Amino acid sequence: MRDFDVVLLEEETGGYVAIVPALPGCNTQGETLAEVMENVKEAIDLYWETLTPQERREILKEKVVGIQKVKALA
């Protein structure tokens, strides 16, 4: 069992998107927070199954230190 950091974004049209920074391309969505959390657990499990042992070891070394808001002219 491993904990993964998940970034949750609220969609303008409703619902939520979940992004797993440690697993590039591992994203999912759901209409409610409960649904998106259930979906992201499944997405992580499926993604994990596709990795080689070496890839798994590399991912387990990485840690998200934090998420910061940055003001920028955009």
Side-chain angles (χ1 to χ4, degrees), residues 5-68:
D5 294 300
V6 176
V7 176
L8 298 173
L9 304 172
E10 188 173 10
E11 290 287 337
E12 285 184 25
T13 57
Y16 300 89
V17 171
I19 302 167
V20 185
L23 306 175
C26 186
N27 310 314
T28 191
Q29 61 188 30
E31 291 298 316
T32 65
L33 286 171
E35 182 181 7
V36 78
M37 291 307 293
E38 183 178 323
N39 291 347
V40 78
K41 288 176 190 175
E42 181 180 3
I44 291 168
D45 288 341
L46 293 171
Y47 190 106
W48 196 254
E49 289 176 9
T50 69
L51 299 175
T52 66
Q54 177 61 31
E55 290 170 325
R56 290 177 182 182
R57 283 191 293 278
E58 290 299 315
I59 286 171
L60 292 176
K61 290 181 191 175
E62 297 175 10
K63 294 188 191 253
V64 173
V65 177
I67 296 174
Q68 300 291 317

